[in-house]
Amino acid sequence: MGRNAIVGQSGGPTCVINSSLAGVLQACQMRGAEHVYGMLHGIEGLLKGRVVDLGATLGSTLEIELLKRSPSSYLGSCRYKLPSYLEHPEVYENLFAILNRMDIGYFFYIGGNDSMDTICKLSDYAKQIGSNIRFVGVPKTIDNDLMGTDHTPGYGSAAKYIGVVMKELIRDATVYGTKYVTIVEVMGRNAGWLTAAAALAQGEDCEGVDLICLPEVPFDPEKFITKVETLQKCNSSIVVAVSEGVRLADGRYVCELADDVHSVDAFGHKSLTGTARYLSNFVARHLDTKTRSIELSTLQRCAAHVSSRTDVTEAYQVGGAAAKAAFEGHTGVMIGIRRISNDPYQSTTELRDIHDVANFEKKVPMEWINDYKTGMKKEFLTYARPLIQAELTPVYIDGLPRHIYLK
Amino acid sequence: MGRNAIVGQSGGPTCVINSSLAGVLQACQMRGAEHVYGMLHGIEGLLKGRVVDLGATLGSTLEIELLKRSPSSYLGSCRYKLPSYLEHPEVYENLFAILNRMDIGYFFYIGGNDSMDTICKLSDYAKQIGSNIRFVGVPKTIDNDLMGTDHTPGYGSAAKYIGVVMKELIRDATVYGTKYVTIVEVMGRNAGWLTAAAALAQGEDCEGVDLICLPEVPFDPEKFITKVETLQKCNSSIVVAVSEGVRLADGRYVCELADDVHSVDAFGHKSLTGTARYLSNFVARHLDTKTRSIELSTLQRCAAHVSSRTDVTEAYQVGGAAAKAAFEGHTGVMIGIRRISNDPYQSTTELRDIHDVANFEKKVPMEWINDYKTGMKKEFLTYARPLIQAELTPVYIDGLPRHIYLK
């Protein structure tokens, strides 16, 4: 049994992916790992032998505390797609040679769907060749689209950010009392969890957003115009939250209706952007109103200054639970979060077979969307509200939050 | 002498314009104003008789405290340009008839350049007709381009927001370790104060932005590409802060080089947006790198959840100083902030003749821009750093900041 552990971060960053890293690191150290290594830029870096010894780079508890509050992936990330063993056996042989040379017994990968696919392939291969290295997935994605977990660490903070800025944008948009349509574009390719979080803005002190457009619902531009026109008869300022991934009934993305060039990433995902801009121009052409488009862009995944303490804490816990699972002999599993109760909110972690997680995608249940497909029912709010509770104040130094990063 | 006071908010909102409203309200009440009225949507609303009694709508100290933390303009705003007396004497006659009917003795207008123009015209007219209503301007603008004051309330919080998100975006942009150019568009038509605030991000824990493009410096697209290419030889991730108002040497706005439609507001100002998007596409066409454009958009003027306590406090103080000035007999003045010292930072308020303020525009001094015109010298940091100090934590309820607004 290898005496060391290794951990990597993969896919898009979140505000709390580093809190999971802290959780893995401290739990592995406590359970007696001799070294806890970090892969630089995920498995892609590991294949090039690019690793750091985390016990050396994160030596103090103050550094660990700053790590929990630092956005982006401390170790760097990648979008490397592990090929299948049948196509490229040499990649697996190379990787296991590296792991064995480093005396690795425990392998952790913090990420979303694509990262769980990596854990799935590696743990299957390990069993096949009789390696006893244990592979455990740590869930992370702002998109909240992972199966096998009530929600994913990263979602709560992104949802809180969206709730906060929606409230601020709704106030701002009413300032002139004139006809105004603000269209806010939120991340989420196929699952509308983040866009749905715009519904959290509504309360005693906020009218809330007027319209929520999720990728789960086919988008009809004509109906959209009619709806906005009707809404504007009651309120001059209309705020719309729209997912970057909304599509027409024929499957085309709304943003593809604009003429911008779109690129494709390593997983074949199209770069989706410009949905709000397109719709803003579309409304301006059809209705007598000013319009504005706002893209929350990467701000929604890196706004660590307004993270959810519940999220930071759970991210740390799943990291620790992953180490516990691996040291207790589990492999080919992901740590899931199970919700015990809503009021008071309580959750625990559990082990999920990685085959039941990888390459699935969890969408917003249709029964949580209202009958008009224009907003969220209270079932969604009951689900999401506990995840944005409480704050983890940044360590402010000279007016700005202090971060930590690998130089 | 009229026994009542009236206050209005005009122009673009800031995070702290309501703190100035609180300052005016409480100081007028303390000095014995019978009623303190608020104009709804500024002077435009006043001309239609749309006012509220602030003593009634903001009755408790808890409400005042929430007011200080609420973004946007509590009273609503306008972009109404007061015509000259010679063109439209009836507007002035109408307005003074309303003020006299309401028994107004003290008139406060919280705003930027255009609002100070209003105070200038009204106080001049009052003197001409022998009215003893006192007109006092309260400075406000995130743009920091007002003359007669060391800085304007609103700037500090916007600068802090820009510093915070730049740090987060810089971390986020390094995550893949691949070639990446992030271009962040910041508000500021002719004055680069907000864009310059991106320089605050640099510190022990942050590399800082790589390039700052202010409207004070003519923009040369070819030189820009060469600079980005050179910078990328050392660092794969390059972050650029660019003002929406950057122009070519021939005076054309960079955003006009794109094909989007641009509208014009009541003051004849063109809507400037799309500068970062244009430059991002421009870089992608010329260099072998991924690019991303991010518009901070209205978020930079309404992100009350990360306001500067120094700014909130000074905004309140200038409101109080305005009431003091009016009650002590002054008219045709704006409250300026005078900096007493940098270390420790100390400031006080002073009275400025409104004629020396209205219709001027304060730009970033050229001697605060580095010799290569690519960033800020330490003189700027010495100036700006004190203004972003300390935080005013929102009152978080159920995970989101509590606001107050006029229903």
Side-chain angles (χ1 to χ4, degrees):
Chain A
M1 192 71 222
R3 285 165 301 179
N4 302 321
I6 191 161
V7 52
Q9 297 173 309
S10 181
T14 76
C15 286
V16 303
I17 187 171
N18 290 331
S19 186
S20 288
L21 178 63
V24 169
L25 171 61
Q26 293 196 308
C28 283
Q29 287 172 331
M30 212 166 56
R31 284 171 184 269
E34 202 161 303
H35 294 279
V36 183
Y37 295 107
M39 317 172 201
L40 295 179
H41 299 290
I43 204 161
E44 196 168 31
L46 177 60
L47 282 163
K48 297 173 189 156
R50 300 189 59 211
V51 296
V52 289
D53 188 330
L54 287 172
T57 66
L58 294 165
S60 75
T61 49
L62 176 58
E63 283 168 324
I64 297 285
E65 211 43 53
L66 289 175
L67 184 64
K68 289 185 190 171
R69 289 164 166 88
S70 296
S72 191
S73 303
Y74 178 77
L75 294 169
S77 188
C78 68
R79 288 204 177 276
Y80 178 79
K81 189 165 176 65
L82 192 65
S84 77
Y85 174 72
L86 292 175
E87 282 167 19
H88 287 284
E90 77 284 2
V91 173
Y92 289 75
E93 287 151 15
N94 182 16
L95 198 69
F96 276 73
I98 293 170
L99 295 176
N100 288 328
R101 205 180 313 132
M102 293 177 70
D103 198 19
I104 299 296
Y106 316 94
F107 181 109
F108 306 96
Y109 217 38
I110 311 172
N113 275 308
D114 297 323
S115 309
M116 295 312 135
D117 176 63
T118 298
I119 286 291
C120 188
K121 284 171 174 161
L122 292 179
S123 57
D124 282 354
Y125 177 77
K127 281 174 197 162
Q128 209 177 304
I129 64 166
S131 162
N132 58 7
I133 303 177
R134 293 155 190 171
F135 293 87
V136 177
V138 183
K140 170 261 11 169
T141 166
I142 61 168
D143 291 327
N144 201 38
D145 59 353
L146 264 179
M147 292 296 280
T149 185
D150 177 81
H151 57 278
T152 52
Y155 177 64
S157 293
K160 186 182 184 94
Y161 173 79
I162 289 163
V164 169
V165 302
M166 284 295 176
K167 284 191 74 169
E168 292 173 338
L169 290 172
I170 289 166
R171 283 274 59 73
D172 187 276
T174 62
V175 75
Y176 295 118
T178 50
K179 287 177 87 174
Y180 217 94
V181 176
T182 307
I183 303 183
V184 185
E185 180 174 321
V186 182
M187 283 182 170
R189 187 177 302 276
N190 300 315
W193 294 103
L194 286 172
T195 309
L200 293 164
Q202 188 164 25
E204 284 169 30
D205 63 335
C206 183
E207 312 87 320
V209 296
D210 301 281
L211 200 50
I212 293 178
C213 305
L214 305 185
E216 282 82 356
V217 178
F219 188 86
D220 181 333
E222 302 305 322
K223 275 195 190 161
F224 177 72
I225 288 289
T226 309
K227 185 71 198 167
V228 171
E229 190 172 24
T230 308
L231 285 166
Q232 218 166 24
K233 283 178 186 153
C234 298
N235 293 300
S236 50
S237 169
I238 299 300
V239 178
V240 179
V242 62
S243 164
E244 60 178 4
V246 288
R247 284 191 248 204
L248 308 182
D250 66 12
R252 276 178 303 160
Y253 287 108
V254 169
C255 63
E256 290 182 290
L257 304 177
D259 353 284
D260 296 64
V261 191
H262 292 282
S263 54
V264 171
D265 74 8
F267 289 92
H269 303 151
K270 279 182 196 166
S271 155
L272 305 179
T273 182
T275 304
R277 194 165 75 246
Y278 174 79
L279 289 177
S280 163
N281 291 334
F282 187 69
V283 170
R285 274 200 307 276
H286 287 81
L287 300 178
D288 175 32
T289 180
K290 283 202 168 195
T291 65
R292 184 191 287 274
S293 68
I294 296 174
E295 288 177 16
L296 298 187
S297 190
T298 42
L299 294 169
Q300 64 204 291
R301 75 180 187 196
C302 69
H305 71 278
V306 64
S307 61
S308 151
R309 185 161 197 137
T310 300
D311 190 26
V312 177
T313 304
E314 289 187 337
Y316 184 84
Q317 286 169 344
V318 294
K324 178 173 186 285
F327 276 82
E328 290 178 356
H330 297 280
T331 186
V333 291
M334 182 190 82
I335 306 302
I337 297 174
R338 188 159 58 82
R339 187 181 299 233
I340 295 171
S341 73
N342 273 321
D343 198 4
Y345 173 71
Q346 288 183 307
S347 70
T348 185
T349 58
E350 61 187 357
L351 300 185
R352 305 303 302 242
D353 186 326
I354 199 74
H355 297 88
D356 298 338
V357 174
N359 302 308
F360 291 98
E361 207 169 33
K362 191 173 70 178
K363 301 195 176 182
V364 177
M366 290 306 284
E367 58 271 25
W368 287 5
I369 305 172
N370 71 15
D371 296 343
Y372 305 104
K373 312 292 182 230
T374 55
M376 306 311 298
K377 287 193 190 162
K378 77 170 188 318
E379 286 82 349
F380 170 77
L381 297 172
T382 304
Y383 168 83
R385 185 78 66 187
L387 312 180
I388 67 164
Q389 295 299 314
E391 294 72 46
L392 185 66
T393 311
V395 177
Y396 279 100
I397 296 185
D398 221 3
L400 298 178
R402 176 58 54 111
H403 299 155
I404 189 168
Y405 77 108
L406 257 179
K407 282 174 201 177
Chain B
M1 191 73 222
R3 286 165 301 179
N4 302 322
I6 191 162
V7 53
Q9 297 174 308
S10 181
T14 76
C15 287
V16 303
I17 187 170
N18 289 332
S19 187
S20 288
L21 178 64
V24 169
L25 171 62
Q26 293 197 308
C28 283
Q29 286 172 332
M30 211 165 56
R31 284 172 182 268
E34 202 162 302
H35 294 279
V36 182
Y37 295 107
M39 317 171 199
L40 295 179
H41 298 290
I43 204 160
E44 198 169 28
L46 177 59
L47 282 163
K48 297 173 191 157
R50 299 189 59 211
V51 295
V52 289
D53 189 331
L54 287 172
T57 66
L58 294 165
S60 75
T61 48
L62 176 59
E63 283 169 325
I64 296 285
E65 212 42 54
L66 289 175
L67 184 66
K68 289 184 189 172
R69 289 164 166 87
S70 296
S72 190
S73 302
Y74 178 77
L75 294 170
S77 188
C78 67
R79 289 204 177 277
Y80 177 79
K81 190 166 176 64
L82 192 66
S84 76
Y85 173 71
L86 292 175
E87 282 167 19
H88 288 283
E90 76 284 2
V91 174
Y92 290 75
E93 287 151 14
N94 182 14
L95 197 69
F96 275 73
I98 293 170
L99 295 177
N100 289 328
R101 206 180 311 133
M102 294 177 69
D103 198 20
I104 300 295
Y106 317 93
F107 181 109
F108 305 95
Y109 217 37
I110 311 172
N113 275 306
D114 297 323
S115 310
M116 295 311 135
D117 177 64
T118 298
I119 287 290
C120 189
K121 284 171 173 160
L122 292 179
S123 57
D124 283 355
Y125 176 78
K127 281 173 195 163
Q128 210 177 301
I129 63 166
S131 161
N132 58 7
I133 303 177
R134 293 155 190 171
F135 293 87
V136 177
V138 183
K140 171 265 3 173
T141 165
I142 60 167
D143 291 327
N144 201 38
D145 60 352
L146 264 180
M147 293 295 279
T149 184
D150 177 81
H151 56 277
T152 51
Y155 176 63
S157 293
K160 186 182 184 96
Y161 173 78
I162 289 163
V164 169
V165 301
M166 284 296 177
K167 284 191 74 169
E168 292 172 339
L169 290 172
I170 289 165
R171 285 273 58 74
D172 187 274
T174 62
V175 75
Y176 296 118
T178 50
K179 287 176 86 174
Y180 217 94
V181 176
T182 308
I183 303 183
V184 185
E185 181 173 321
V186 182
M187 282 183 171
R189 187 176 301 275
N190 300 313
W193 294 104
L194 286 172
T195 309
L200 293 163
Q202 188 163 26
E204 284 169 30
D205 64 334
C206 183
E207 311 86 321
V209 296
D210 300 281
L211 199 50
I212 293 178
C213 305
L214 305 185
E216 283 82 356
V217 178
F219 187 86
D220 181 334
E222 302 306 321
K223 275 194 189 161
F224 177 72
I225 288 290
T226 309
K227 185 70 197 166
V228 171
E229 190 173 23
T230 308
L231 285 166
Q232 217 164 26
K233 283 178 186 154
C234 299
N235 293 300
S236 50
S237 169
I238 299 301
V239 178
V240 179
V242 63
S243 164
E244 60 178 4
V246 288
R247 283 191 250 206
L248 307 182
D250 66 13
R252 277 178 302 160
Y253 287 107
V254 168
C255 63
E256 290 182 290
L257 304 177
D259 354 281
D260 297 64
V261 191
H262 292 282
S263 54
V264 171
D265 74 9
F267 290 92
H269 303 151
K270 279 181 197 165
S271 154
L272 305 178
T273 183
T275 305
R277 194 165 75 247
Y278 174 78
L279 289 177
S280 164
N281 290 335
F282 188 69
V283 170
R285 273 201 305 276
H286 286 80
L287 301 179
D288 175 32
T289 180
K290 283 202 167 196
T291 65
R292 185 191 286 272
S293 68
I294 296 174
E295 289 178 15
L296 298 186
S297 190
T298 42
L299 295 169
Q300 65 204 289
R301 75 180 187 196
C302 67
H305 71 277
V306 63
S307 61
S308 151
R309 186 162 195 136
T310 300
D311 191 26
V312 177
T313 304
E314 289 187 337
Y316 184 83
Q317 286 169 343
V318 295
K324 179 173 186 284
F327 277 82
E328 290 178 355
H330 297 280
T331 186
V333 292
M334 182 191 84
I335 306 302
I337 297 174
R338 188 159 60 82
R339 187 182 299 234
I340 295 170
S341 73
N342 273 320
D343 197 4
Y345 173 72
Q346 289 183 307
S347 70
T348 185
T349 58
E350 61 186 358
L351 300 184
R352 306 302 302 242
D353 185 326
I354 199 74
H355 297 87
D356 298 338
V357 174
N359 301 308
F360 291 98
E361 206 169 34
K362 190 173 71 177
K363 300 193 178 185
V364 177
M366 289 306 283
E367 59 270 26
W368 287 5
I369 305 172
N370 71 14
D371 296 344
Y372 304 103
K373 311 294 183 226
T374 55
M376 306 310 298
K377 287 191 189 163
K378 77 170 188 318
E379 285 84 347
F380 169 77
L381 296 172
T382 305
Y383 167 83
R385 185 78 66 186
L387 312 180
I388 67 164
Q389 295 299 313
E391 294 71 47
L392 184 66
T393 310
V395 177
Y396 278 100
I397 295 185
D398 222 4
L400 298 178
R402 175 59 53 112
H403 299 155
I404 189 169
Y405 76 108
L406 256 179
K407 280 170 203 179

